[in-house]
Amino acid sequence: MSNIRIQAGGQSYTFPATQPVRMGRSPEADVVLEGGSVSRQHASLVPGPQGWQVVDAGSTHGTWVNGQRVQQLPLTGQTTVVLGQGADAATLLIVVEGAAADRPVPGAPTINPAALPATMVPSGQGAPGAQAPGLLVRTRSGDKRFGLMAPVRIGREPGLEITADDPSVSRQHALIEPRPDGWWLSDRSTSGTYVDGERISQHKVDEPTTVMLGHPTAGYELELVPVIAADKAARAIQGAKRRKTFGRVGLMAAVLVLILGGVITAVALSGGDDKEPSNSGLTEAELDRAKAASVFLIAVGANDQPTHTGSGSIISEDGLILTNAHVGKPSSPGQGASEFADPEYLLVALTQASDDKPAEPAFRAVPIVSDGYLDLAVLQIVADADGKELDKDSLELPAPMPLGDSDDVRTGDSITALGYPGIGNPGAGINRPLTITRGVVSTFQRDEVADTERGFIDSDVRLGSGNSGGASINDDGELIGINTAVITAVSEAAGAITQGSALLRPLALADEVLEIARQGGDPDYVSPYAEDLPDPGEVPESASAEARGWTFDGQGGCTGTSPQTLSVGAEQTIFAEFTVSGLEEGTPIGIGFVAPDGQTQLGSAQDTWSFGTESKCVTVQFTVPAGVDGVTAAFFVGQGEVLAENRLTFQ
């Protein structure tokens, strides 16, 4: 088979057809490239029985040939390949030597690949080198063994090496690639690839590894087993068992809740897609009723300026609205630190009959009861949008949202979420139309404090910032869950904050606050679970954080600086990085995203620190909204003390 020659960055490289050629910003790549939109592991040139092909490795900004984004493409003769987009992309001229269409590369110097420090010279006939193992992949449909010559493609698309016929799996979901140091798993999906409950972009497979495709607990399961010597394999399995015991504790301590309300525009989405499940029995009339009962909530502060937004549901003819406490009353005991003050009132905007028209503010409402720990609040409409008092018994409102029984919900049930996320309407600002997304119930999350196995409904339904407090309904159009949060896992090793599941608070846990609201409310009500929560205490003097710039793939290793300038576009995903040290276990932490005006909130995430006092590199994902020319990510602790500000200007 022909060698392949690459011209990039003023240099020429030649590789034999004995192993894949890795390209990207990583120093470990075979061809190291510069460019802000080039991922660390961006793409590979892969030899196979049919010849060379270029294979994208799940890059953020894509691999492009003739203006078309490609996942994989056969190569013959001379081909121009672009890695990334815009001015920060890398352009390569790739020549398959000896092919019919092969032409010389003008002005390309002849360089011995063995003399290039970034070029790995093969040490045998196998792709990863002489000592690299084969690979056994175990699936629900059987086992498959693979040798050393080519990557293993995984997805729903027929003809791949591993075909996973499951709706949670993308058509081209993941790639298992042989490299000089062994097998590496790369995610190429939108719904995620998970190892030990943590979403990964890349993972070295050097021991038996269980992988979930599409969801951390309810996805398609694979087991990847490097075929190594029996004694070494036995030791690896025993080590994995020990780590699993500790890992369960670590994962519970490493959950970061990405609050969905409290924004004017958007941060990251998590999981799922908009396709209607095949078992959905929701009728048009039932959905229309739920739409009409859904409201957009705009929190207004003491200076008559909007501070944050959320969603809610009309649940009674006399103007009761169910939402989240972090939308209606952020100071509720049990909520922990919040960057938002309690609003003076909340504007209630009604859903319009036309799907493309924004909600119209019609009323003002105030919280009458809230449970900070359960993150539930009930509002009462008290005035029109201009502040004129209204009699609650003579309101003209849409029909209330029917209330269902969340205890009847089962895994696999279809679910429909309603709300007003900024991510669904980039550029719409504070005037948004209603957004509908659909998914399925994946599992249930136990709540230790509330002592229930159904503390949250875990779903793959797509939620975004601003969905907070909105309804999730069943196939009868009944409200069975309140859209509350997207959980994200923090890697104890690297501190990476990654995407996870959509969490819905079951309606059954709202029984007490609903009954209090029907009796007229109790603004002084305190969650019975709040007293069981740890005291956040004082922020230790040893606590420190340092802004380490922004990256496109979240793998910068906290080596950057701030302020910084990058070429980014609307809806593009980027990552803020911080080095954090000196925090005691249980210290409240958070990340706030703010526009350059210093006022407009673009999103937030908060939890408690659980990773010890030693220095950690923390990366936080952010999706760029339309209409802003920069962002500052602020790392704060306690009740809002900012330790570091990571400033970025958009080109």
Side-chain angles (χ1 to χ4, degrees):
M1 183 174 168
S2 302
N3 292 345
I4 197 164
R5 189 164 72 249
I6 307 162
Q7 183 178 354
Q11 288 187 308
S12 181
Y13 309 79
T14 301
F15 296 90
T18 55
Q19 70 174 53
V21 179
R22 299 167 299 153
M23 303 179 294
R25 287 193 297 108
S26 171
E28 297 179 358
D30 300 311
V31 178
V32 180
L33 301 167
E34 297 181 353
S37 67
V38 177
S39 297
R40 290 175 61 82
Q41 297 289 346
H42 195 108
S44 293
L45 301 174
V46 180
Q50 305 302 318
W52 287 92
Q53 61 179 334
V54 60
V55 179
D56 185 83
S59 65
T60 301
H61 300 285
T63 299
W64 303 79
V65 176
N66 294 328
Q68 299 295 317
R69 187 166 184 169
V70 298
Q71 292 296 328
Q72 61 185 76
L73 184 73
L75 298 172
T76 59
Q78 181 173 297
T79 307
T80 299
V81 177
V82 178
L83 306 186
Q85 293 178 282
D88 290 332
T91 300
L92 301 85
L93 188 62
I94 300 176
V95 179
V96 178
E97 294 183 343
D102 186 15
R103 295 189 299 270
V105 182
T110 301
I111 298 179
N112 181 358
L116 298 174
T119 300
M120 303 302 297
V121 179
S123 56
Q125 296 302 311
Q131 303 302 316
L135 185 72
L136 171 68
V137 181
R138 290 175 171 160
T139 74
R140 64 181 67 166
S141 59
D143 297 351
K144 289 188 177 182
R145 287 179 179 267
F146 298 92
L148 311 177
M149 291 302 294
V152 178
R153 300 166 299 169
I154 304 170
R156 285 191 294 111
E157 187 172 289
L160 301 183
E161 284 74 25
I162 298 293
T163 301
D165 187 13
D166 189 287
S168 65
V169 178
S170 299
R171 293 183 62 84
Q172 295 271 354
H173 195 103
L175 180 74
I176 311 173
E177 181 183 20
R179 298 180 184 174
D181 57 345
W183 291 94
W184 282 79
L185 172 67
S186 298
D187 179 55
R188 297 164 60 181
S189 69
T190 56
S191 54
T193 299
Y194 300 84
V195 175
D196 293 333
E198 179 182 347
R199 183 167 183 171
I200 59 97
S201 58
Q202 295 192 72
H203 181 81
K204 185 178 181 182
V205 183
D206 53 7
E207 63 183 9
T209 302
T210 299
V211 178
M212 304 297 290
L213 307 179
H215 190 276
T217 57
Y220 185 92
E221 182 174 336
L222 300 173
E223 185 176 6
L224 310 181
V225 183
V227 183
I228 54 180
D231 58 343
K232 184 177 180 181
R235 291 195 299 271
I237 291 172
Q238 293 303 315
K241 288 180 178 178
R242 290 192 295 271
R243 282 192 296 277
K244 189 173 182 181
T245 302
F246 294 111
R248 285 178 181 149
V249 178
L251 182 62
M252 290 180 62
V255 171
L256 182 76
V257 178
L258 176 60
I259 299 300
L260 295 178
V263 298
I264 299 300
T265 48
V267 290
L269 291 181
S270 174
D273 56 44
D274 297 343
K275 296 180 180 179
E276 182 173 348
S278 59
N279 63 336
S280 176
L282 186 65
T283 67
E284 184 176 353
E286 290 166 343
L287 180 57
D288 285 345
R289 177 170 178 165
K291 286 181 178 181
S294 297
V295 296
F296 181 34
L297 299 174
I298 305 166
V300 180
N303 58 355
D304 285 330
Q305 295 297 312
T307 59
H308 58 278
T309 68
S311 304
S313 304
I314 297 172
I315 58 171
S316 72
E317 295 180 350
D318 61 355
L320 294 181
I321 296 172
L322 180 61
T323 186
N324 283 138
H326 74 258
V327 174
K329 192 175 181 180
S331 70
S332 302
Q335 266 291 288
S338 174
E339 62 186 297
F340 302 111
D342 288 350
E344 290 292 303
Y345 61 88
L346 295 100
L347 278 175
V348 179
L350 299 181
T351 302
Q352 299 300 292
S354 177
D355 288 341
D356 59 354
K357 289 187 177 180
E360 284 289 336
F363 303 103
R364 294 185 181 186
V366 296
I368 58 173
V369 60
S370 62
D371 185 312
Y373 176 74
L374 294 177
D375 203 359
L376 298 170
V378 180
L379 314 179
Q380 173 68 62
I381 293 176
V382 294
D384 65 17
D386 296 324
K388 180 181 178 181
E389 292 187 7
L390 297 173
D391 180 358
K392 68 178 184 178
D393 295 323
S394 60
L395 295 173
E396 295 183 4
L397 296 172
M401 183 89 70
L403 304 184
D405 187 350
S406 60
D407 289 338
D408 289 340
V409 175
R410 296 293 179 265
T411 55
D413 286 355
S414 60
I415 198 165
T416 301
L418 303 94
Y420 290 86
I423 194 68
N425 308 280
I430 209 165
N431 297 310
R432 306 175 194 161
L434 183 69
T435 296
I436 308 293
T437 55
R438 288 193 170 110
V440 297
V441 175
S442 302
T443 186
F444 299 93
Q445 298 284 350
R446 174 169 174 77
D447 189 315
E448 296 289 345
V449 176
D451 192 24
T452 175
E453 300 298 328
R454 289 183 172 232
F456 282 104
I457 299 170
D458 185 329
S459 172
D460 68 348
V461 70
R462 186 170 66 105
L463 298 182
S465 299
N467 264 118
S468 277
S472 277
I473 60 176
N474 60 18
D475 278 352
D476 294 323
E478 299 169 331
L479 190 156
I480 49 86
I482 298 89
N483 306 330
T484 299
V486 173
I487 62 168
T488 58
V490 181
S491 165
E492 189 168 0
I497 299 176
T498 56
Q499 293 176 321
S501 305
L503 297 187
L504 323 171
R505 188 64 88 174
L507 184 65
L509 293 180
D511 285 348
E512 186 167 353
V513 295
L514 289 176
E515 182 57 31
I516 293 172
R518 294 183 185 112
Q519 299 300 320
D522 180 3
D524 298 323
Y525 175 83
V526 175
S527 171
Y529 308 112
E531 61 185 22
D532 296 328
L533 300 178
D535 185 349
E538 297 292 331
V539 178
E541 293 183 1
S542 60
S544 67
E546 187 173 356
R548 288 297 188 176
W550 295 72
T551 67
F552 288 106
D553 55 10
Q555 299 181 35
C558 287
T559 58
T561 59
S562 174
Q564 187 178 2
T565 300
L566 288 177
S567 177
V568 298
E571 300 187 55
Q572 187 170 342
T573 299
I574 53 179
F575 298 82
E577 298 191 341
F578 296 87
T579 300
V580 181
S581 63
L583 287 182
E584 301 289 344
E585 300 277 337
T587 301
I589 64 169
I591 304 289
F593 297 100
V594 185
D597 61 12
Q599 302 295 323
T600 304
Q601 301 288 332
L602 303 179
S604 66
Q606 58 190 54
D607 196 28
T608 55
W609 185 259
S610 57
F611 308 106
T613 58
E614 294 184 1
S615 179
K616 293 288 183 181
C617 177
V618 176
T619 65
V620 190
Q621 181 173 309
F622 175 73
T623 298
V624 178
V628 295
D629 56 7
V631 62
T632 295
F635 187 95
F636 61 88
V637 295
Q639 301 301 311
E641 180 180 341
V642 175
L643 296 186
E645 293 186 346
N646 202 344
R647 302 181 185 276
L648 177 65
T649 300
F650 302 155
Q651 283 185 341

